[in-house]
Amino acid sequence: MIDITTTYMGLPLRSPIVASASPLCDSLENIRRFEESGVGAVVLPSLFEEQLELESHATHSDLSRGAESFAESLNYFPNLQNYNLGPDAYLELIRKARVSVSIPVIASLNGISVGGWTHHAKLMEQAGASALELNIYDVVSDAHHRGSKIEEDYCELVRQVKACVRIPVAVKISPFFTAIANMAKQLDDAGADALVLFNRFYQPDIDIDSLEIVPSLTLSQSQELPLRLHWVAILHGLVRANLAVTGGVHSGRNVLKAMMAGAHVAMMTSAFFQSGIRHANVVLHEMSQWMEEHEYDSIQQMRGSMSRRSVPNPSAFDRANYIRVLSSYTLNPRRAAAKAAPGSARTE
Amino acid sequence: MTRRTAILDGNEAAADVAYRLNEVIAIYPITPASPMGEWSDQWQGEARKNIWGAVPKVIEMQSEGGAAGVLHGALQAGALGTTFTASQGLLLMIPNMYKIAGELTSTVIHVAARTVAAHALSIFGDHSDVMAARATGFAMLCSNSVQEAADFALIAQAAALESRIPFLHFFDGFRTSHELNLIFPLSDDDLRALVDETLVRKHRERGLSPDHPVLRGTAQNPDVFFQSREAINPFYRACPTIVQDVMDRFASRTGRAYKLFGYVGAPDADRIIVMMGSGTGPVEETIERLRSRGEKVGLLKVRLFRPFAPSSLLAALPKTATAVAVLDRTKEPGSIAEPLYLDVVAALNESPSARPRVIGGRFGLSSKEFTPAMAKSVFDELKKTAPKNHFTVGIVDDVTHTSLEYDRDFSTEDPQTVRAVFYGLGSDGTVGANKNSIKIIGKRTDNYAQGYFVYDSKKAGSVTVSHLRFGPRPIRSSYLISKASFVACHQFQFLERMDVLASAEPGATFLLNAPLPPTEVWNHLPEPVQQHIINKRLKFYVIDAYKVARETGMAGRINTVMQTCFFAISGVLPREEAIEAIKDAVRDTYGKRGDAVVEKNFAAVDQTLAHLHSVNVPQQASSGMRVLPPVPQRAPSFVLNVLGPIIAGQGDSLPVSAMPIDGTFPTGTSKWEKRNITQQIPVWDEELCIQCGKCVLVCPHAVIRAKVFDSSELRAAPSTFKSAKPRWRELENLRYTLQVSPEDCTGCRLCVEVCPAKSKSEAKHKAINMEPQEPLREAESANWNFFTSLPDLDRERLSPSHVKDVQLLAPLFEFSGACAGCGETPYIKLLTQLFGDRLLIANATGCSSIYGGNLPTTPYTANHHGRGPAWSNSLFEDNAEFGLGMRLAVDKQADYARILVARQASILGETLVSGLLTSDQSTEADIAAQRERVAELKRKLSSQDSSEVRDLLAVADSLVRKSVWLVGGDGWAYDIGAGGLDHVLGSGAKVNVLVLDTEVYSNTGGQMSKATPRAAVAKFATGGKQTAKKDLALEAISYGSVYVARVAMGGNDTHTVKAFLEAEAYDGPSLIIAYSHCIAHGYDLAFGMEQQRAAVLSGYWPLLRYNPVLRAEGRNPFQLDSRAPSIPLRKYLYQEARYSMLARNNAEEAVRLLELAQGDVDLRWKVYSNHALGNETPVVSQPETVTSAQHAHQDGDAT
């Protein structure tokens, strides 16, 4: 019998596949289907503190617009008893999910103030979340904000959240740090129980016909996986925190790579969007089959087996790898034929 | 025993009782009664129970006639039922009211009494509606105050059950229905104590049931109808005693004693006023004052008007009375006098005892102020040996001289009562804050409190005036405050336009919101304001409330800031307690809108006092600034002398002689009312502009215009006037200008959002950009005036089917009072651009009749030939029929003219006659040629004189083709006027119908209509509309002979223009259903066109044209003009609060309804596509299920 169980931040999981934060995890029905399909845990969609504030203001303006101005229409909407503008609906989802499924339910939070982070973290814990995932999603466009200060703030935030909750806390970060390893170490020192690599962001695109900025978020591709594998492989063993891969995990083979690089779990969403929640079964089957064919006993056995510290030539994870890729690319016959086109190399 | 109190208005007070005493509540919105239905609907949504423990069923009907029908049916089947209405609504119930009364059915209809439309519509209060129903057999019980509105709602119900006579319980619209006052509400136990369960059971037993079948509603013949009618007499005889008994039982339970005719005043009074309604308050105050001077005066308050009880009247009237004045709040032209007077005279006439002299008078029509000064003038009149009979009071009648003089300085205001007047803008939250203040004071102090609010007749930039009284004695002053102890002006710019301090009494406090520090503010005040402050020794405080609001993230909402100032200065409560109370109120009011809003309001409260300053007032006025006149001196005399005072808020001073006798007003007057309501206006970049005309097309207020003109005209242009080379073939040698009217713009930004021309170097800069108005005002006004003097390009050189060319057609609808960013007005403006000089409009009541026809000024205007739309509003329900009548008249006159033309052939000549009779006038050129022929006819006949020639000259203009349009909203077309509209469309007559579909009753505040889409929240659809929108287009298409178009200007403007042209050209009925974004949809209307586009892209609003002409050509008349849905419905819906608020309130239900709504869209698309393929039988199939994944994709952090 092949053992595909794993642990994540101390939580025993029956499989290393975790449904990552997305609207798919927004309904009890889907969460139940995830459990039935074999995933090890679900991460609920992120609760955005900023969004709560925006929603509150939007509701206020919507209800106030045109009100008390004209004798025949002193307002334009019925007086509803409540609007779920606070975290209540989210907390209710946690509560209901916890009693509906036996797999861990991880709450995800994106705050904008230290007070907001800790306040909501406590509420999530009280609502019964198995763990928290802090989704550090921030576009720092102010040129006066120093990176080192921002890094310090992130760590302080993790310390504060850790100080106010007992459940494990994961931190989901982006790959856009100058020194990811150092950042990971700092977060580790701050008490993070897991690091989730990496966040994918909405990326504004430019519509050249309408001259407008259009928000875009495409579903992830397997090509995005190597970046994650790269850093998990480097961080494995460097940090105490568990590691999770998110972004580009679409197949059983992808999950196995993540495990070999050193991850405790592999998170998926895009594949579920494309192939449905039952796709988890397919992935698990593919994994198990491969493990059987290759005579692996357990996930535990392979974890980190291909990490930087476990491979014979660690420089493959360093700059040397970059050079090799480039040179192999230059030696590609098609590339050689295209050499005539000047400047094209820079675009690759 | 201390009893709880509440601050309510009359509507809520009455509805609170009515709801708890009924099982079936049939409703329909009509001002000022709508809130009673809205409260009921809300309580039903909250599952509030009646006194029997059940939740009443509240159902909105398609009209008041429908509501009365449902009520009748519910009563007949044994339920306890009620309805609420006013004015025309009550009139529509009259047929059923006769039936309900004739069948001795216990019910109560609650009426917020409102003026019935005559020479003009009015939403305000008087008794003309109630009086129109007085013959129905309903008992009529009148409440004079908010407290009575609650009490009499109960008394009426109890008496109706006992007497079996249905009751009409009424109170004054607005003055009582909308006045906030402190009352002692009735508990469920109070209700149970008064309503006899045995009688309720008897009522049920009388209900129709197959278990004990009877038949009711027979047809009777001459032999017995009369006798049957008289058989009810005992019930009417018994009714007054029953009512008095109920009142006595009520008194013993509550301590509030009422009489059928309640007398107050001197027991030995010689002069008495008899009246009913809210006017009794000021009369009572007057009596107290006059008695303190030793005068013997009294008031008889009529409570039970029907059945009229002469013996009770005589018993209540002091025997000492020598002179009686009966005041009626209604007018019956042609009658000897008004009804209450006639009843009193008849009662006295039938009395054997000595009779006092009786005179009658009218007061308070359409909420005209009725003050103690006016009451005193009536008592003074009664002193005279030959008092004026059939008088009026409150106006100056210089035509038939009915009016009484009165002393405007006479006042009965109690010095112990705080009297505060607040001037604000609708958008700044002043009224909401004042409503909270009243509730705070009512709750936290022993004071009585009253609030009344005066609103604007415009929807954009509307001014509000709040009148608040607080004091230790009950407040009966049902009139505006004219001697204020506190005046607050929340908008600095008001000072140059209105005399806000006119009502300030000496020593009063003045609070001003000014964007200036306390040391500078004095020098920026107009001189009259300075004079008021000095002469009346006002205590003057100033705050820069917008600064505080900005700094605390409150944007333009200064309400909390100003409210804090009021409490801090007025001392009604200790400061600390006041601040705590304000925060409580903020939590109560905004708590459910989320913590962020509450926190920001708290911050605003906390930061206010540091910015509030007392101003040192100099001894002398030093300002040279004057108050601006309402209209310029060069305006026409009617505008200057009649409309000007109305604009300035002094319409009350206009005498009868100033008024048109039949409600006819000149058009083209809105241009004189420069309102300057926006801080920012669009500015044209002539370099970047591609002259597409989209901004001109969408501008809801016609403040952006384009002209092409000869370059020689520029010689007289102001220096900042801009022009560019026209981008039209063959017009290159002329000049093009896009001009904005800076003082008429509402700042809605639709133009900027729709502008497609962006700078290649800086994308945010467009061909039209918003910039501060104030620095541009003077120069752009001069440019505008010059622009309007430029000639219009000859229409024949333009192709009206191109949006680009439409911009050069002069709009004959401008500067309306519609909301900023209105989605309806662009369509009306387009209508006037295309056909305005030969256009007749029949306009259903609603937003379009209000911004189209509410005084003071009218947006419909004429071109330089003096031709323009002729417009009229009949009613809400009959507009299709009204417009059809216009068509028939126009056609008959043209027929007659053609007959006469043929008869005058010898004078006119064969060529002219043939031209006149055969021109099909299908193009602008044809129409111009026909106009020329008519001119020639007039020239040729000018020297002739015969009866026929005079007739022909009178009807000759009808030979030019007229365009008759029936305009109205979805409330009319889908609901109340649906039957008439259907009939008119089926008549085959050449009328054009424009439905401005906002999908709710916009004008009355967003109630559901059958045009409301599934999943949208609306009033009366609190939990989201459960059923799909009616497909009016398909209904009309089913005739096969009606031109039908479904358009959305933001979805495809060319399509819209084409549809208008085709509809008008079609020789038969046409129907255009125009998607109109609306403030009731809940989003920033600057994005209205973008939402229209989304509506089309999502397939929610497919564009179509059904043109029967094509069938004759062997083609498919059904043209589907938009592409298959390319975005999910939710992308469109959740931009609007009407949908998103359901998602915020009840997410699961929102998801369920969204799926159904997506199914509606999918199904409709299938049906339409099938039609477009030419299939005669539409495919109807179950909507496809839409998976959440399909809709959820690309949301959140998809990993």
Side-chain angles (χ1 to χ4, degrees):
Chain A
M1 186 66 187
I2 290 165
D3 178 11
I4 58 162
T5 63
T6 181
T7 59
Y8 181 49
M9 301 188 282
L11 303 167
L13 306 190
R14 58 188 183 149
S15 88
I17 302 176
V18 171
S20 49
S22 86
L24 285 179
C25 303
D26 209 1
S27 77
L28 274 187
E29 190 190 336
N30 280 355
I31 293 171
R32 283 197 203 99
R33 285 168 62 200
F34 273 121
E35 183 182 39
E36 286 160 17
S37 304
V39 304
V42 292
V43 186
L44 301 183
S46 284
L47 177 78
F48 284 83
E49 187 191 355
E50 188 180 14
Q51 196 171 338
L52 293 185
E53 229 179 76
L54 288 173
E55 291 256 335
S56 169
H57 287 132
T59 305
H60 183 50
S61 351
D62 290 341
L63 295 176
S64 308
R65 195 177 292 111
E68 299 288 5
S69 296
F70 190 69
E72 296 206 69
S73 43
L74 299 179
N75 50 55
Y76 287 99
F77 288 104
N79 184 14
L80 301 183
Q81 276 313 286
N82 64 75
Y83 304 96
N84 297 314
L85 296 172
D88 294 356
Y90 192 88
L91 300 175
E92 188 58 24
L93 179 66
I94 297 176
R95 269 189 284 273
K96 285 190 178 156
R98 283 288 283 150
V99 296
S100 304
V101 294
S102 55
I103 55 175
V105 174
I106 302 170
S108 170
L109 173 62
N110 181 302
I112 46 172
S113 61
V114 171
W117 284 100
T118 52
H119 172 69
H120 290 112
K122 274 188 275 192
L123 291 174
M124 289 171 168
E125 179 180 43
Q126 285 160 11
S130 314
L132 284 184
E133 182 175 289
L134 306 182
N135 179 8
I136 301 179
Y137 174 103
D138 199 3
V139 179
V140 185
S141 54
D142 186 336
H144 296 96
H145 281 197
R146 293 177 62 84
S148 55
K149 176 72 172 63
I150 290 161
E151 291 181 3
E152 281 166 26
D153 289 348
Y154 285 161
C155 295
E156 178 56 26
L157 171 75
V158 173
R159 270 191 289 274
Q160 295 222 9
V161 172
K162 277 295 289 179
C164 74
V165 296
R166 290 183 188 183
I167 52 175
V169 175
V171 182
K172 188 170 182 177
I173 60 171
S174 80
F176 309 118
F177 290 97
T178 306
I180 293 180
N182 176 262
M183 186 70 234
K185 188 82 186 97
Q186 287 188 58
L187 291 169
D188 192 42
D189 292 345
D193 297 293
L195 298 175
V196 185
L197 312 180
F198 291 114
N199 222 332
R200 296 174 76 244
F201 298 142
Y202 279 112
Q203 293 178 348
D205 197 0
I206 292 174
D207 181 330
I208 60 170
D209 296 315
S210 67
L211 298 185
E212 277 176 11
I213 301 298
V214 282
S216 75
L217 178 69
T218 50
L219 295 179
S220 77
Q221 311 277 329
S222 285
Q223 295 91 304
E224 294 171 45
L225 185 62
L227 174 73
R228 276 85 181 164
L229 297 180
H230 189 173
W231 281 104
V232 168
I234 290 172
L235 294 178
H236 177 74
L238 279 183
V239 291
R240 180 195 48 82
N242 287 177
L243 298 169
V245 163
T246 183
V249 180
H250 285 244
S251 64
R253 297 178 74 87
N254 290 163
V255 177
L256 293 168
K257 288 181 190 179
M259 299 300 110
M260 289 180 181
H264 280 70
V265 294
M267 296 185 171
M268 298 174 63
T269 281
S270 295
F272 296 142
F273 271 122
Q274 286 162 340
S275 311
I277 289 172
R278 290 188 182 285
H279 183 62
N281 274 324
V282 178
V283 173
L284 288 171
H285 179 72
E286 194 189 340
M287 267 174 59
S288 308
Q289 203 170 12
W290 187 92
M291 287 169 73
E292 200 174 313
E293 282 167 11
H294 295 79
E295 298 181 358
Y296 278 76
D297 298 330
S298 69
I299 291 291
Q300 183 59 33
Q301 189 183 11
M302 70 173 76
R303 177 169 302 117
S305 60
M306 293 296 290
S307 67
R308 186 175 179 276
R309 61 170 49 183
S310 306
V311 292
N313 179 14
S315 67
F317 287 110
D318 300 337
R319 187 169 170 77
N321 181 277
Y322 175 64
I323 295 164
R324 207 174 71 186
V325 170
L326 275 191
S327 62
S328 60
Y329 192 57
T330 316
L331 295 174
N332 182 312
R334 272 167 52 213
R335 168 71 192 157
K339 250 185 172 176
S344 55
R346 296 185 62 83
T347 64
E348 299 298 337
Chain B
M1 184 178 68
T2 315
R3 302 203 57 172
R4 70 189 179 97
T5 59
I7 302 277
L8 303 178
D9 65 19
N11 275 331
E12 188 180 354
D16 174 57
V17 173
Y19 178 87
R20 287 182 286 157
L21 290 176
N22 282 289
E23 298 165 309
V24 175
I25 303 178
I27 54 175
Y28 189 76
I30 185 164
T31 307
S34 309
M36 287 190 276
E38 291 169 13
W39 279 117
S40 300
D41 183 60
Q42 181 179 328
W43 292 327
Q44 176 190 235
E46 294 164 8
R48 187 184 179 192
K49 292 179 173 135
N50 62 21
I51 58 168
W52 299 283
V55 177
K57 171 66 187 173
V58 180
I59 182 166
E60 184 193 13
M61 293 305 297
Q62 87 287 7
S63 74
E64 290 89 350
V70 163
L71 175 63
H72 187 193
L75 294 168
Q76 279 302 318
L80 293 166
T82 189
T83 184
F84 315 107
T85 194
S87 191
Q88 250 75 28
L90 181 60
L91 269 57
L92 288 178
M93 293 186 178
I94 285 177
N96 258 303
M97 290 172 68
Y98 275 93
K99 296 286 296 177
I100 292 168
E103 291 158 355
L104 289 174
T105 324
S106 304
T107 183
V108 183
I109 296 179
H110 302 269
V111 174
R114 163 182 160 180
T115 308
V116 174
H119 63 284
L121 168 148
S122 170
I123 60 169
F124 293 100
D126 63 37
H127 300 162
S128 52
D129 53 357
V130 173
M131 289 304 176
R134 72 182 189 275
T136 56
F138 265 59
M140 293 182 168
L141 193 62
C142 178
S143 291
N144 300 337
S145 66
V146 179
Q147 179 70 61
E148 291 180 18
D151 295 350
F152 288 11
L154 172 57
I155 289 169
Q157 181 83 12
L161 284 165
E162 191 168 346
S163 67
R164 291 197 57 187
I165 292 177
F167 272 63
L168 190 159
H169 164 230
F170 71 101
F171 42 86
D172 287 352
F174 280 105
R175 189 64 247 187
T176 303
S177 69
H178 282 57
E179 176 187 297
L180 285 176
N181 211 317
L182 183 137
I183 71 161
F184 300 95
L186 296 166
S187 67
D188 284 0
D189 286 340
D190 293 334
L191 270 52
R192 285 192 199 100
L194 267 286
V195 173
D196 186 338
E197 286 302 315
T198 323
L199 297 172
V200 172
R201 276 192 291 279
K202 281 186 178 169
H203 170 79
R204 293 192 198 289
E205 284 161 10
R206 290 192 292 270
L208 296 174
S209 165
D211 295 323
H212 44 85
V214 293
L215 182 147
R216 203 174 283 144
T218 53
Q220 298 182 349
N221 302 315
D223 51 352
V224 300
F225 183 93
F226 195 169
Q227 301 94 299
S228 299
R229 203 75 183 101
E230 296 300 326
I232 59 169
N233 293 351
F235 291 86
Y236 284 84
R237 289 200 182 144
C239 183
T241 308
I242 291 172
V243 176
Q244 188 59 61
D245 286 351
V246 173
M247 284 176 164
D248 294 346
R249 280 196 282 133
F250 182 89
S252 63
R253 180 164 179 91
T254 66
R256 290 191 294 282
Y258 297 111
K259 296 285 176 196
L260 303 185
F261 294 88
Y263 180 76
V264 288
D268 55 348
D270 50 11
R271 285 164 291 142
I272 311 278
I273 287 177
V274 180
M275 68 188 304
M276 57 185 168
S278 62
T280 54
V283 176
E284 275 194 70
E285 289 183 0
T286 308
I287 286 169
E288 279 174 22
R289 177 62 55 87
L290 295 182
R291 287 186 71 194
S292 72
R293 295 178 185 176
E295 298 195 36
K296 292 176 178 176
V297 289
L299 164 69
L300 200 56
K301 297 190 247 185
V302 180
R303 258 66 182 257
L304 185 70
F305 174 60
R306 287 284 180 275
F308 200 89
S311 55
S312 302
L313 169 79
L314 293 169
L317 195 68
K319 301 287 175 280
T320 47
T322 55
V324 172
V326 184
L327 298 184
D328 270 277
R329 198 161 200 161
T330 189
K331 179 174 175 66
E332 291 198 7
S335 169
I336 290 178
E338 276 60 40
L340 184 58
Y341 168 85
L342 293 178
D343 287 349
V344 171
V345 168
L348 290 171
N349 188 46
E350 291 179 5
S351 151
S353 55
R355 270 175 269 140
R357 176 204 297 275
V358 186
I359 58 172
R362 295 178 292 279
F363 76 104
L365 294 200
S366 177
S367 290
K368 170 71 76 188
E369 276 287 274
F370 181 67
T371 63
M374 295 169 197
K376 179 175 177 293
S377 78
V378 175
F379 282 122
D380 289 347
E381 192 66 21
L382 287 175
K383 277 186 196 164
K384 293 181 181 169
T385 47
K388 190 180 271 187
N389 199 355
H390 312 306
F391 62 84
T392 58
V393 62
I395 58 169
V396 178
D397 177 4
D398 54 346
V399 175
T400 50
H401 309 288
T402 58
S403 54
L404 302 185
E405 288 290 333
Y406 62 96
D407 172 10
R408 284 164 174 76
D409 287 332
F410 180 81
S411 167
T412 55
E413 292 282 16
D414 183 350
Q416 284 185 291
T417 302
V418 174
R419 285 149 277 129
V421 178
F422 303 78
Y423 291 83
L425 276 177
S427 54
D428 68 18
T430 297
V431 171
N434 285 330
K435 287 184 173 175
N436 267 339
S437 296
I438 293 170
K439 288 181 180 168
I440 289 171
I441 291 166
K443 198 163 133 190
R444 299 218 174 212
T445 72
D446 292 333
N447 283 313
Y448 288 87
Q450 177 206 48
Y452 190 73
F453 307 92
V454 178
Y455 301 93
D456 210 321
S457 57
K458 311 277 188 196
K459 301 195 186 204
S462 67
V463 176
T464 63
V465 189
S466 310
H467 297 255
L468 273 54
R469 287 183 175 96
F470 314 107
R473 289 173 17 123
I475 297 166
R476 299 163 302 193
S477 310
S478 58
Y479 50 90
L480 303 179
I481 293 167
S482 59
K483 296 193 185 306
S485 52
F486 184 100
V487 175
C489 181
H490 290 190
Q491 298 291 333
F492 187 67
Q493 71 275 16
F494 288 175
L495 295 180
E496 64 173 15
R497 307 210 154 255
M498 52 182 94
D499 190 1
V500 301
L501 290 175
S503 63
E505 66 180 9
T509 300
F510 176 39
L511 168 64
L512 177 66
N513 169 28
L516 296 160
T519 48
E520 288 178 33
V521 70
W522 181 259
N523 293 328
H524 291 80
L525 302 179
E527 190 177 337
V529 176
Q530 292 185 338
Q531 289 291 2
H532 274 302
I533 295 173
I534 293 168
N535 297 344
K536 295 179 175 174
R537 298 185 310 285
L538 302 183
K539 296 183 274 292
F540 181 22
Y541 293 86
V542 68
I543 182 166
D544 187 346
Y546 278 108
K547 186 170 172 226
V548 180
R550 259 192 320 273
E551 288 173 356
T552 51
M554 298 276 291
R557 305 285 288 183
I558 55 167
N559 48 353
T560 312
V561 177
M562 297 307 289
Q563 186 184 23
T564 307
C565 292
F566 166 70
F567 276 104
I569 301 169
S570 68
V572 178
L573 277 173
R575 277 196 184 190
E576 290 303 311
E577 193 187 338
I579 284 175
E580 187 196 325
I582 295 170
K583 288 187 176 177
D584 279 353
V586 162
R587 214 175 280 116
D588 284 355
T589 314
Y590 303 129
K592 56 188 174 182
R593 300 182 185 183
D595 292 341
V597 169
V598 172
E599 292 300 328
K600 285 193 175 164
N601 275 282
F602 282 3
V605 172
D606 291 336
Q607 293 195 21
T608 293
L609 295 183
H611 293 78
L612 174 64
H613 304 285
S614 173
V615 181
N616 291 322
V617 176
Q619 300 285 321
Q620 295 259 308
S622 54
S623 172
M625 288 162 63
R626 303 261 134 225
V627 173
L628 298 174
V631 294
Q633 282 300 315
R634 62 193 164 83
S637 68
F638 185 80
V639 174
L640 200 58
N641 301 322
V642 179
L643 302 184
I646 303 177
I647 293 168
Q650 288 155 8
D652 282 324
S653 65
L654 289 169
V656 171
S657 64
M659 291 292 113
I661 51 172
D662 58 358
T664 309
F665 278 77
T667 62
T669 50
S670 61
K671 60 172 164 277
W672 300 107
E673 190 183 9
K674 298 300 180 196
R675 300 177 64 224
N676 286 293
I677 60 170
T678 181
Q679 312 288 316
Q680 296 206 310
I681 56 168
V683 172
W684 182 44
D685 183 338
E686 72 275 28
E687 304 277 326
L688 213 51
C689 180
I690 56 170
Q691 303 175 10
C692 64
K694 285 182 188 292
C695 56
V696 179
L697 191 72
V698 303
C699 177
H701 291 80
V703 301
I704 303 184
R705 309 239 181 127
K707 278 186 181 175
V708 169
F709 50 89
D710 196 278
S711 56
S712 64
E713 301 277 358
L714 286 174
R715 282 197 291 270
S719 59
T720 57
F721 189 79
K722 295 178 209 165
S723 68
K725 184 177 167 185
R727 293 176 172 234
W728 275 262
R729 250 185 242 167
E730 297 172 11
L731 299 180
E732 293 94 336
N733 296 328
L734 303 175
R735 297 299 289 174
Y736 169 89
T737 289
L738 188 79
Q739 180 64 46
V740 172
S741 176
E743 296 185 291
D744 295 305
C745 179
T746 64
C748 75
R749 312 190 320 281
L750 265 177
C751 52
V752 175
E753 291 302 323
V754 85
C755 176
K758 294 179 183 174
S759 161
K760 290 188 168 53
S761 314
E762 191 183 16
K764 71 179 178 193
H765 183 75
K766 293 181 156 189
I768 199 151
N769 305 283
M770 298 304 282
E771 291 182 24
Q773 188 246 24
E774 207 275 326
L776 293 164
R777 189 193 295 181
E778 200 176 328
E780 288 307 315
S781 292
N783 288 335
W784 173 259
N785 289 336
F786 172 73
F787 176 85
T788 53
S789 74
L790 294 171
D792 289 317
L793 197 69
D794 193 345
R795 294 174 71 94
E796 292 162 53
R797 297 178 68 177
L798 297 167
S799 168
S801 60
H802 294 133
V803 168
K804 186 178 172 67
D805 286 24
V806 168
Q807 66 178 310
L808 301 178
L809 302 174
L812 301 177
F813 177 83
E814 59 185 12
F815 324 137
S816 74
C819 298
C822 175
E824 296 186 354
T825 48
Y827 294 112
I828 297 181
K829 188 186 60 176
L830 173 64
L831 182 62
T832 69
Q833 285 175 297
L834 296 174
F835 323 116
D837 62 351
R838 53 194 180 86
L839 178 62
L840 283 94
I841 296 178
N843 206 132
T845 310
C847 276
S848 54
S849 74
I850 297 301
Y851 60 65
N854 203 353
L855 291 189
T857 59
T858 37
Y860 287 96
T861 188
N863 65 15
H864 60 279
H865 297 295
R867 294 191 195 96
W871 181 95
S872 187
N873 159 243
S874 171
L875 298 170
F876 192 15
E877 59 270 24
D878 74 338
N879 191 53
E881 301 91 317
F882 183 53
L884 176 62
M886 289 185 185
R887 176 81 259 170
L888 300 179
V890 166
D891 289 349
K892 286 321 291 174
Q893 287 172 72
D895 286 349
Y896 185 43
R898 278 193 283 273
I899 292 168
L900 295 177
V901 164
R903 287 193 200 152
Q904 299 298 327
S906 59
I907 303 170
L908 297 173
E910 197 180 320
T911 317
L912 181 58
V913 168
S914 141
L916 281 166
L917 298 183
T918 58
S919 167
D920 72 352
Q921 302 182 62
S922 59
T923 66
E924 289 280 347
D926 292 344
I927 289 167
Q930 183 78 343
R931 283 201 195 285
E932 183 44 45
R933 287 186 204 102
V934 172
E936 195 184 341
L937 171 147
K938 288 180 179 174
R939 276 195 300 275
K940 287 191 170 174
L941 294 182
S942 61
S943 54
Q944 307 291 320
D945 187 27
S946 71
S947 170
E948 268 196 0
V949 164
R950 283 194 294 274
D951 269 8
L952 179 51
L953 285 171
V955 295
D957 284 334
S958 66
L959 291 165
V960 177
R961 189 175 141 192
K962 298 296 185 289
S963 195
V964 178
W965 285 74
L966 289 42
V967 175
D970 48 283
W972 161 62
Y974 285 70
D975 283 357
I976 197 168
L981 176 61
D982 177 61
H983 192 85
V984 169
L985 290 177
S987 74
K990 165 96 202 80
V991 292
N992 310 288
V993 181
L994 173 60
V995 179
L996 302 161
D997 193 348
T998 62
E999 311 194 314
V1000 278
Y1001 289 79
S1002 305
N1003 193 53
T1004 46
Q1007 293 85 1
M1008 166 179 74
S1009 76
K1010 285 199 288 298
T1012 304
R1014 203 199 297 262
V1017 163
K1019 288 179 184 161
F1020 307 160
T1022 309
K1025 172 114 176 299
Q1026 297 293 316
T1027 54
K1029 179 185 174 103
K1030 172 163 100 174
D1031 196 329
L1032 185 60
L1034 277 189
E1035 272 191 10
I1037 285 170
S1038 71
Y1039 278 108
S1041 55
V1042 180
Y1043 177 92
V1044 182
R1046 191 196 251 271
V1047 305
M1049 189 177 275
N1052 185 337
D1053 49 15
T1054 302
H1055 177 260
T1056 300
V1057 173
K1058 267 191 192 162
F1060 272 69
L1061 291 168
E1062 288 176 359
E1064 210 276 336
Y1066 177 63
D1067 188 20
S1070 74
L1071 170 68
I1072 295 178
I1073 305 164
Y1075 182 106
S1076 305
H1077 59 252
C1078 176
I1079 195 161
H1081 295 176
Y1083 62 98
D1084 181 351
L1085 294 187
F1087 303 102
M1089 292 295 156
E1090 209 169 287
Q1091 267 306 88
Q1092 292 201 13
R1093 186 163 171 270
V1096 173
L1097 290 178
S1098 66
Y1100 172 73
W1101 194 270
L1103 303 177
L1104 75 83
R1105 285 170 298 154
Y1106 180 89
N1107 193 347
V1109 170
L1110 297 179
R1111 191 188 294 110
E1113 297 169 7
R1115 295 159 61 194
N1116 181 359
F1118 193 105
Q1119 300 158 276
L1120 188 46
D1121 297 320
S1122 53
R1123 293 191 182 151
S1126 58
I1127 60 171
L1129 184 64
R1130 66 191 296 277
K1131 290 270 177 197
Y1132 154 63
L1133 298 195
Y1134 288 149
Q1135 302 296 318
E1136 302 187 1
R1138 57 178 166 152
Y1139 299 103
S1140 61
M1141 68 193 305
L1142 183 62
R1144 288 169 186 158
N1145 177 250
N1146 183 349
E1148 284 174 22
E1149 176 66 355
V1151 167
R1152 189 183 73 83
L1153 287 175
L1154 173 67
E1155 292 206 2
L1156 292 172
Q1158 180 70 55
D1160 296 337
V1161 167
D1162 296 343
L1163 175 61
R1164 183 165 51 236
W1165 186 260
K1166 246 183 203 179
V1167 171
Y1168 279 22
S1169 318
N1170 210 42
H1171 273 296
L1173 290 170
N1175 296 340
E1176 289 298 324
T1177 317
V1179 173
V1180 179
S1181 60
Q1182 288 304 308
E1184 286 173 358
T1185 309
V1186 179
T1187 67
S1188 60
Q1190 265 176 285
H1191 290 274
H1193 75 91
Q1194 299 198 350
D1195 274 15
D1197 41 358
T1199 307

